[in-house]
Amino acid sequence: MSAPRTLWYTRCPLPTASGVAIERGLLDAAFAPLGIAVQSLNASLERQVREAHFDHGQPGLFRQGGMIPPIWSRARGADTLVIATGWIDEYQAVIALPDSGIRSGDDLRGRRLGVPCRPGEQIDYWRAMCLRGYHSALQLAGLAPADVEFVALPIHEGQIPTGGASQRGSLWHGALRARRQSREALALVRGEVDAIYTASPAGAQLTAFLGARVVVDIGAAPSPALRSNNQVPAILTVDGTLARTRPDLVVRYLAALFDAADWARAQPADAAAILCEDVGATKEWLYAAHGDDVAARLAPALDPVHIQAVSAQKDFLLGLGLLEQDFDLQAWIAPEFIQAAAATRGSHATA
């Protein structure tokens, strides 16, 4: 089959090899000799194209980021494959205000936990992520979901912005990122809820801004299963038609991500500056949420522990009733592409 004229990519506001590869021009360099342009979903102003970040509906798309939307879209019949994973632990916590009387997980019994919800969205990934965080926190505290009250906090702002086309920029600009947890924070301050879940560099900042107490430090849990959530591990998915008809392009894409990860490991300060741009935080908060060595942990992988975490996330979403149907997880995983890409590391690097 002839090569497509355009490939598409999207990534979540997380530390990813995709973000480094995009900013360093590695994807452009890898595909330019083939006459293929590599476009960000953010380069389009069409709503349907942008929504592909969630439903994977754009042909020729690579998506690296949180796993809830890809699991949801696969359960709806989206033709996709998982070609890589990546585990970068992040700050995750249940927090409460100092005067709440909540000092540890034991004190959550009978308390109100805020759950943001966007009823008009295709997949309310943030609600699902918060609930998964609460379930992990309650398990760490020896409690069950029935021991607390979940309070719905409706939000009427869409998750995908409609403007601001940019070839390389993230779909999420600063203002939208800053408002992601404004509803929960205001509910906490107003006394509508007693505790909220938060995560990522923005979550670490929010905790400091509120002067909040970390009631349960989920990100420090000894068990990877309890630390796992939407963004841990992140996964890389690809359009199934592209993978079947032009597997060489998928391998080339992954090889560029390996090159990006190698460069980031060798140039951690410069790489951190790129990651800060993607997550919308300074280095102080990037490191606080992900560790000082975050730039050394970007290489694509396909680890059995990661796959087990994806399976657990799928089962959790099924239990919440967020998936239309179950599906064969192992059939969704395609290890042959990362194996071939690992064998060609360095062949597509740029200066």
Side-chain angles (χ1 to χ4, degrees):
M1 180 179 176
S2 61
R5 293 185 177 181
T6 304
L7 296 176
W8 295 85
Y9 63 78
T10 184
R11 83 280 195 193
C12 292
L14 311 172
T16 63
S18 290
V20 174
I22 291 160
E23 183 60 31
R24 292 284 297 164
L26 296 177
L27 293 177
D28 292 336
F31 290 98
L34 304 180
I36 300 174
V38 187
Q39 294 256 62
S40 166
L41 289 184
N42 197 40
S44 174
L45 292 176
E46 294 183 30
R47 181 75 181 183
Q48 182 176 352
V49 174
R50 287 172 167 246
E51 286 285 347
H53 183 83
F54 290 145
D55 61 30
H56 228 294
Q58 183 65 22
L61 175 65
F62 294 82
R63 181 195 186 278
Q64 188 170 25
M67 58 175 155
I68 289 175
I71 292 172
W72 167 81
S73 63
R74 178 65 173 175
R76 294 175 74 238
D79 182 9
T80 59
L81 291 170
V82 175
I83 56 173
T85 59
W87 191 296
I88 297 179
D89 279 307
E90 67 177 359
Y91 175 83
Q92 292 186 75
V94 173
I95 63 173
L97 296 180
D99 60 359
S100 67
I102 302 175
R103 293 177 173 79
S104 69
D106 294 341
D107 297 325
L108 291 174
R109 186 184 299 273
R111 297 293 191 140
R112 301 163 300 166
L113 308 185
V115 181
C117 56
R118 292 174 171 83
E121 293 297 307
Q122 290 192 80
I123 173 63
D124 194 349
Y125 80 91
W126 184 246
R127 171 178 172 268
M129 182 172 168
C130 289
L131 286 171
R132 182 77 188 278
Y134 285 138
H135 280 233
S136 293
L138 292 170
Q139 185 174 342
L140 283 165
L143 300 176
D147 293 324
V148 300
E149 177 186 355
F150 294 113
V151 178
L153 303 173
I155 299 172
H156 303 291
E157 181 177 27
Q159 296 179 125
I160 298 287
T162 56
S166 167
Q167 169 57 22
R168 291 186 176 179
S170 168
L171 282 166
W172 287 272
H173 53 79
L176 195 64
R177 283 194 298 246
R179 288 195 299 272
R180 183 169 80 163
Q181 286 205 267
S182 60
R183 180 71 178 91
E184 298 107 285
L186 288 171
L188 189 64
V189 171
R190 292 167 179 164
E192 299 169 10
V193 299
D194 300 309
I196 62 173
Y197 167 84
T198 192
S200 75
Q205 286 180 282
L206 178 63
T207 302
F209 174 76
L210 294 172
R213 173 179 285 112
V214 174
V215 177
V216 181
D217 189 348
I218 305 166
S223 167
L226 291 175
R227 299 198 308 273
S228 177
N229 204 324
N230 176 48
Q231 300 171 173
V232 184
I235 65 175
L236 177 62
T237 48
V238 65
D239 171 24
T241 298
L242 177 69
R244 288 188 298 273
T245 58
R246 289 302 305 265
D248 58 307
L249 300 183
V250 177
V251 172
R252 183 175 286 258
Y253 193 99
L254 275 166
L257 297 194
F258 273 120
D259 291 342
D262 290 343
W263 176 85
R265 187 180 298 106
Q267 305 291 336
D270 292 339
I274 295 173
L275 300 180
C276 286
E277 183 71 20
D278 271 4
V279 305
T282 64
K283 285 185 181 180
E284 175 186 2
W285 295 110
L286 174 75
Y287 293 154
H290 297 293
D292 295 355
D293 63 341
V294 60
R297 293 181 282 129
L298 300 178
L302 207 51
D303 189 283
V305 173
H306 302 182
I307 301 305
Q308 184 178 17
V310 177
S311 179
Q313 183 69 273
K314 177 176 69 70
D315 292 344
F316 181 79
L317 296 176
L318 277 168
L320 289 181
L322 290 180
L323 301 186
E324 292 189 8
Q325 60 184 346
D326 200 355
F327 60 89
D328 184 347
L329 184 75
Q330 289 304 316
W332 195 34
I333 311 298
E336 62 271 21
F337 299 102
I338 196 168
Q339 292 167 359
T344 65
R345 292 180 75 166
S347 62
H348 304 295
T350 60

